[in-house]
Amino acid sequence: MKEIILAKYGEIALKGDNRSTFEDILVRNIKRRLKHLGSFSCDRRQSTVYIEPLDDKIDIDAAVGEVKKIFGIGAIQKCAVFPKDFDIVVKNLDYLSEALSDAKSFKVEAKRSDKSFPLKSPDIQQKLGDAVLDKFPHLKVDVHAPEVTVRLEIRDNGAYLSAKRIIGLGGLPVGSSGKALLMLSGGIDSPVAGYMMAKRGLIVDCIHYVSPPYTSDRARLKVEKLCEELTEYCGDIRFFCVPFTEIQEKLRDSCPEEFFTVIMRRMMMKIANKICEREGYGAIITGESLAQVASQTLAAIECTNAAAEFPVFRSVIGMDKIEITEISRNIGTFETSIMPYEDCCTVFTPRHPRTKPKLSEIIEAESTADLDELIEKAVENTEVKRFKFGEQTVFLD
Ligand code: ATP
Ligand code: MG
């Protein structure tokens, strides 16, 4: 018996003429993702990628675990494949033992996309339901809330039997929407913001600002660890680490304290602009959430935004902390995010930041500080690293 994975399209199924471009990228992402488990063929037909292990020793459950983390897939089914012959399927219902032995109720769902198959879907449901009851007499049929749904799909090139469907992450395949630069701090919000934009098909690389000696190596390593964790969903990530100390010291010495945070955020934007221009990124992503802190009020965001020369995607802007935290737990970044290392944003924090800064006042204060040279220098001294999906590094004890 042959077992394969069906990866059914999410939003890609709605695409028109350019659909094959998305499919190509999805298949490429699946192949890359599964490479470490062995060799697979990935054929695409009927809004589905058929992921078939080419070696008996491949751990197919591990493969399902990987496919679950790929954007662009609406649903995932591990299936046994049979010739399109109902009797053969019935002879092989053992395949369902793992899912049905401990279950109490089930229903059957049948789909017949090959209309030449002699039984219609309701007939398949009826007959297969009876056969399952014969084989597993402890079960009851429950069409409304079954514990297990047995699916039989009669597709162009075989009959596919499964008892497990997992909802995929949805979205679009990473790499189908271009690339963007995520401003990644060590907090909870920015990794989630990056995850959400990767879900829209962006390649997400990260920029992080450090202020040694005010921020420690450990704080930086924590952010690198977040990068590594994000590769689970985003694929390989380039990491730009910007030395930010001199700019912060200059701001401390020459700007009104109440404007410090907003001007610092504008400096971050200006540096991100330059990296975007140099490296070809089309947008900047931040983890700002409206009104979460003084630097994220509408007026403060207006001031920060005015320094950006690229579209800024604030994918968590309308979410509250509880919602963001829930995603962060689900994607596995939460535990790292709450490690207690300082971020450069907490260095020289003003006692009373202005919650309604005026852009004209900010620009005025900024111009006296003469920061352009320091920005250039920070960009020049930025370190670049690459985090590859699947490569584990031990960062912290
Ligand atoms: P987070 O939980 O992501 O740290 P936050 O609530 O702490 O967010 P701020 O510190 O005001 O909010 O930062 C807002 C956004 O600015 C962050 O989500 C991130 O995108 C960016 N940011 C802040 N500090 C840094 C940093 N040191 N390096 C890169 N980006 C940063
Ligand atoms: Mg932060």
Side-chain angles (χ1 to χ4, degrees):
M1 187 192 58
K2 191 168 72 174
E3 223 181 1
I4 79 164
I5 301 168
L6 299 185
K8 299 184 174 183
Y9 296 171
E11 202 175 313
I12 300 179
L14 307 175
K15 295 285 173 197
D17 291 345
N18 57 353
R19 176 165 152 168
S20 68
T21 315
F22 291 88
E23 293 177 297
D24 288 345
I25 296 171
L26 178 61
V27 166
R28 195 180 68 205
N29 291 354
I30 293 173
K31 284 190 166 163
R32 262 194 208 154
R33 181 92 206 188
L34 294 179
K35 211 163 76 189
H36 69 287
L37 292 175
S39 188
F40 293 80
S41 70
C42 291
D43 296 326
R44 42 192 233 217
R45 262 169 282 124
Q46 298 178 286
S47 292
T48 302
V49 183
Y50 293 67
I51 306 169
E52 186 178 330
L54 298 176
D55 168 353
D56 288 346
K57 291 187 207 83
I58 284 177
D59 178 349
I60 193 149
D61 290 315
V64 170
E66 296 292 352
V67 175
K68 258 185 354 194
K69 293 181 178 169
I70 299 174
F71 291 121
I73 298 171
I76 301 147
Q77 277 169 229
K78 186 174 75 163
C79 308
V81 193
F82 302 107
K84 285 187 274 186
D85 178 328
F86 190 74
D87 293 335
I88 295 184
V89 174
V90 169
K91 278 196 195 110
N92 283 284
L93 289 182
D94 268 351
Y95 177 65
L96 301 174
S97 297
E98 193 190 324
L100 292 179
S101 302
D102 295 330
K104 292 194 175 62
S105 63
F106 81 106
K107 77 168 178 181
V108 174
E109 259 181 30
K111 224 173 160 184
R112 184 186 63 139
S113 51
D114 171 7
K115 301 295 177 202
S116 68
F117 190 74
L119 294 171
K120 291 191 173 147
S121 301
D123 304 329
I124 300 175
Q125 271 161 213
Q126 179 69 49
K127 292 182 78 165
L128 187 58
D130 291 344
V132 170
L133 281 174
D134 278 350
K135 176 100 192 156
F136 305 96
H138 68 285
L139 288 173
K140 289 214 160 23
V141 175
D142 182 344
V143 289
H144 300 297
E147 233 173 273
V148 177
T149 299
V150 172
R151 291 186 170 78
L152 184 63
E153 297 185 27
I154 310 297
R155 292 178 159 246
D156 287 353
N157 48 339
Y160 294 81
L161 179 69
S162 72
K164 199 170 176 199
R165 186 215 284 265
I166 302 168
I167 303 297
L169 291 178
L172 295 169
V174 169
S176 61
S177 298
K179 59 177 192 172
L181 191 60
L182 167 67
M183 290 173 57
L184 182 65
S185 67
I188 295 171
D189 309 323
S190 46
V192 172
Y195 164 86
M196 289 178 67
M197 294 320 300
K199 183 173 180 176
R200 295 311 302 158
L202 281 171
I203 290 170
V204 173
D205 288 334
C206 298
I207 185 166
H208 177 63
Y209 306 82
V210 289
S211 289
Y214 307 104
T215 61
S216 64
D217 279 351
R218 297 207 140 210
R220 172 185 166 157
L221 290 173
K222 165 185 170 177
V223 176
E224 294 192 3
K225 178 139 179 64
L226 286 171
C227 259
E228 183 193 294
E229 288 165 356
L230 282 174
T231 63
E232 283 282 313
Y233 297 93
C234 302
D236 298 355
I237 290 180
R238 288 173 82 205
F239 175 73
F240 297 88
C241 191
V242 185
F244 205 52
T245 315
E246 281 186 287
I247 291 178
Q248 284 198 292
E249 285 175 339
K250 180 92 187 205
L251 290 180
R252 176 197 57 193
D253 297 341
S254 56
C255 285
E257 188 185 310
E258 59 180 350
F259 293 147
F260 177 84
T261 309
V262 169
I263 296 181
M264 180 188 68
R265 307 296 320 258
R266 284 171 55 84
M267 294 306 114
M268 288 182 173
M269 277 294 171
K270 288 185 177 192
I271 291 169
N273 288 336
K274 290 190 185 291
I275 303 277
C276 284
E277 204 168 86
R278 190 183 79 193
E279 307 287 336
Y281 294 103
I284 295 167
I285 304 165
T286 77
E288 288 160 307
S289 162
L290 188 62
Q292 191 188 76
V293 286
S295 61
Q296 294 170 35
T297 62
L298 188 54
I301 287 180
E302 185 192 343
C303 293
T304 313
N305 204 54
E309 288 165 16
F310 288 82
V312 180
F313 295 154
R314 300 177 172 88
S315 40
V316 300
I317 193 75
M319 294 170 75
D320 71 24
K321 198 77 186 185
I322 294 166
E323 291 170 305
I324 300 171
T325 302
E326 195 184 331
I327 298 179
S328 143
R329 285 186 195 278
N330 289 340
I331 65 175
T333 51
F334 179 75
E335 293 301 331
T336 305
S337 288
I338 58 170
M339 288 173 142
Y341 301 114
E342 68 297 333
D343 181 61
C344 70
C345 281
T346 55
V347 176
F348 318 134
T349 323
R351 280 156 294 182
H352 301 291
R354 274 263 283 275
T355 52
K356 289 189 180 166
K358 272 213 178 79
L359 182 57
S360 53
E361 288 176 88
I362 295 284
I363 289 175
E364 170 76 35
E366 210 174 278
S367 63
T368 57
D370 196 19
L371 292 150
D372 290 353
E373 258 177 47
L374 288 182
I375 291 175
E376 288 296 342
K377 192 172 161 196
V379 171
E380 253 169 53
N381 292 325
T382 292
E383 280 175 44
V384 193
K385 249 187 168 173
R386 183 182 285 275
F387 290 91
K388 282 190 146 327
F389 160 71
E391 273 180 15
Q392 299 263 318
T393 331
V394 178
F395 291 111
L396 301 167
D397 41 54

